[in-house]
Amino acid sequence: IGSTFQNKADFRWSTFQNVAYFIGSTFQNKADFRESTFQNKADFRESTFENEAYFSMSTFQNADFSRSTFENEAYFS
């Protein structure tokens, strides 16, 4: 919660079994969650993505991106 990722955040092919809390986090570089599985809630409320954010082919049970800011491209397809 409230973390800052200065380098590329590479979570490709990850499985999050419990609630994934990224509330208020800042991703200063690329955020890569491609093909990840969120088996519980993915909570990205109030997060800032300063660079590209990749969520393509990820599976969400329940995701919350409310009040988040995407300053570059965000890919969800």
Side-chain angles (χ1 to χ4, degrees), residues 27-58:
F27 296 87
Q28 294 178 335
N29 208 315
K30 188 182 300 181
D32 198 344
F33 290 88
R34 285 179 286 183
E35 297 186 54
S36 292
T37 302
F38 296 88
Q39 295 177 342
N40 209 309
K41 185 176 185 176
D43 200 338
F44 288 92
R45 287 177 289 150
E46 302 177 20
S47 292
T48 302
F49 297 86
E50 296 178 358
N51 213 309
E52 292 95 354
Y54 296 90
F55 293 93
S56 305
M57 298 176 60
S58 291

Side-chain angles (χ1 to χ4, degrees), residues 5 9 11 15 18 20 23 28 31 53 55 60 65 67 77:
F5 297 87
F11 293 97
T15 298
N18 297 313
I23 300 167
Q28 294 178 335
F55 293 93
F60 297 95
F65 288 90
R67 295 183 303 279
S77 59

